[in-house]
Amino acid sequence: MSTTSLPVPDRSPRLREALLAAAFTADGLLDLLGAPAYAALARSETVPALRATRGDSPLDTLVRLFLLQHPVPYERARAALPLAECVEDGWVTHVGDEVRATVDVRPYSGPEGQDWYIVSDLGCAVGGAGGIGSREEGVVLGVGGASTTLAGITVRTPVASALDIGTGSGIQALHASQHATRVTATDLNPRALDFTRLTLALSGAAPAELHQGSLYEPVGAETYDLIVSNPPFVISPGARLTYRDGGMGGDDLCRTLVQQTGDRLNEGGYAHFLANWQHVEGEEWQNRLSSWVPHGCDAWIVQREVQDVTQYAELWLRDSGDHRTDPAEYAARYDAWLDEFEARKTKGVGFGWITLRKYAAAAAGNPSVVIEEWPHAVEQPLGPAVEAHFARQDYLREQDDAALLAGHFTLAAEVVQEQVGLPGAEDPEHVVLRQNRGMRRATKVDAVGAGFAGVCDGTLPAGRILDAIAQLMNEDPVLLRDRTPQAIRLLVEEGFLDPVPPVG
């Protein structure tokens, strides 16, 4: 798989026209397959899709050829494709009366409904609980949950320059091409750069600057407005598989990537990473991650999941298909993983995302570093919520308590109030504010907090609202003003209240 030559992109616009004409798109697939078979594909289950494509339309043919990687009759392929060009350029092979795909071509819908295509190695579109099942070193994967998560959390403001480190099949570079004037993509695997070139060309996107090498080494001292990376973050014994194993001990690759980013970001620039990190005996994981944050950067780090070392080893042994090998070989590999963790005193592995922002206040010694655990459902895309998080941090570090009480606030969109208590009770035990967008947070508030949030419409300053609440509740307004700013800060920081910019 990883040793075959790849197609050339020169005539990809003609192939793209044929794919679009046949409705070989994300929407076209859903219409053809139906929701159950479409969802099964995301689990790497192909039988429902094979049953749904028993017709002879060009779309049936293309789904079987490029998505399910089954041979199709020559005449059907010729009806769906500019076949002679596709054979000559290497997209398909023609043997006897059959045509076979040489690469996986997967329709992918862009954020504004663009019809894109992600090109990767055969059989390596990510998505099943059984993993990709490949142990070939240079294999290049397609779109998976990690890829779409990273794309969703990335801030998408227009920028002059963007860098995709460890580009793989090019999905992050493809997204960046929509809002960056210049896109650079790097990968240690030269085959990945070839796939990125194919993905961009077949998607009708502008080409990127492509460089081979590890981390920041291929780009010298260049700096960027946006940096993204879904790196080979797996903590493993050795560097067996390029797409997942970083080749450094423990979580050193992710640490090195994050720490070196401070010198590569332009002022106001964002960097977004997916990462794994060790949970080490005798060390708080939050302290470990805070030591990664480079000088001059604000950071927001979210831990989405933690696995114990046995779960983690089993996950990645299944991903590469090792569980289907000789039992003795599987046991030896499993044992090697546990030896690695024991040597490093690792009791678990965390997974999540890391966002950095280069900002002058951080450089002046006043960085905002938020490290939290949030395993609950979120609403993607989160890019706008990420940008709003840093804007709120800017606001809060510039406001003392007096300024906060003089400020005006509005209740964030789609925040609801829930009252919790025994049925029939006159008063609730407590009140919960819950977001239905973004991070979908929930927080307990007291009667003052609930009343304050409920009347925040931007018209009155916070101090006057508290004075009115004090009068209603027969409280001392001075004491209420003294004790409430911290609660207001928390509601702002977590996105329940939005500051209203001053007029003029």
Side-chain angles (χ1 to χ4, degrees), residues 70-416:
H70 275 244
V72 299
Y74 175 83
E75 291 301 326
R76 286 181 56 182
R78 190 170 68 169
L81 293 167
L83 188 55
E85 290 181 7
C86 288
V87 171
E88 184 178 348
D89 291 348
W91 293 94
V92 299
T93 60
H94 172 210
V95 180
D97 293 331
E98 290 185 340
V99 173
R100 292 179 177 269
T102 63
V103 291
D104 184 300
V105 177
R106 192 149 302 240
Y108 178 79
S109 182
E112 297 178 1
Q114 301 99 323
D115 290 316
W116 289 342
Y117 298 96
I118 310 300
V119 188
S120 62
D121 269 313
L122 292 173
C124 290
V126 184
I132 67 165
S134 172
R135 291 180 290 158
E136 296 196 42
E137 180 181 352
V139 71
V140 177
L141 275 59
V143 181
S147 303
T148 55
T149 294
L150 180 58
I153 67 173
T154 300
V155 173
R156 298 294 176 191
T157 52
V159 295
S161 58
L163 172 64
D164 176 16
I165 300 173
T167 186
S169 56
I171 179 174
Q172 308 305 330
L174 179 58
H175 275 278
S177 71
Q178 303 303 294
H179 64 102
T181 303
R182 178 173 63 92
V183 177
T184 303
T186 70
D187 205 289
L188 185 63
N189 182 2
R191 187 177 177 81
L193 301 178
D194 291 334
F195 272 117
T196 294
R197 187 178 291 107
L198 293 172
T199 289
L200 294 172
L202 195 57
S203 298
E209 298 176 10
L210 304 175
H211 301 288
Q212 182 186 356
S214 178
L215 302 183
Y216 289 107
E217 178 271 329
V219 296
E222 286 284 328
T223 59
Y224 299 87
D225 302 313
L226 173 68
I227 299 172
V228 294
S229 182
N230 177 16
F233 52 66
V234 176
I235 300 170
S236 58
R240 190 161 59 112
L241 301 175
T242 304
Y243 76 87
R244 74 171 196 194
D245 301 324
M248 298 184 186
D251 52 18
D252 282 355
L253 181 133
C254 292
R255 175 186 57 79
T256 301
L257 175 62
V258 174
Q259 287 180 336
Q260 291 181 353
T261 297
D263 294 331
R264 309 299 179 135
L265 271 180
N266 293 326
E267 181 82 8
Y270 285 92
H272 304 273
F273 308 115
L274 300 186
N276 277 181
W277 43 80
Q278 297 168 182
H279 283 230
V280 178
E281 293 178 14
E283 177 186 49
E284 294 294 331
W285 67 270
Q286 296 94 333
N287 293 338
R288 184 180 192 84
L289 289 174
S290 67
S291 71
W292 292 10
V293 178
H295 177 74
C297 287
D298 297 325
W300 185 20
I301 301 174
V302 181
Q303 180 167 271
R304 297 288 288 156
E305 182 181 5
V306 182
Q307 291 185 318
D308 67 47
V309 292
T310 59
Q311 291 174 313
Y312 189 81
E314 291 163 13
L315 168 68
W316 293 108
L317 287 166
R318 286 195 304 270
D319 177 80
S320 56
D322 286 302
H323 62 306
R324 294 191 290 269
T325 62
D326 175 71
E329 181 183 346
Y330 173 76
R333 291 197 183 280
Y334 198 151
D335 206 37
W337 284 73
L338 297 185
D339 283 344
E340 172 78 5
F341 288 132
E342 184 177 344
R344 296 182 177 276
K345 298 183 179 181
T346 301
K347 59 184 180 178
V349 178
F351 169 81
W353 61 69
I354 298 174
T355 296
L356 305 176
R357 185 189 59 162
K358 191 74 170 285
Y359 186 54
N366 188 25
S368 165
V369 178
V370 176
I371 302 174
E372 62 177 318
E373 186 165 19
W374 189 253
H376 310 293
V378 299
E379 182 188 49
Q380 288 277 32
L382 267 175
V386 171
E387 190 175 13
H389 165 88
F390 287 98
R392 293 194 299 270
Q393 298 301 316
D394 292 346
Y395 172 82
L396 288 172
R397 66 180 153 195
E398 294 169 359
Q399 309 296 313
D400 60 17
D401 286 355
L404 201 68
L405 293 175
H408 296 239
F409 303 92
T410 58
L411 189 66
E414 297 190 35
V415 171
V416 298

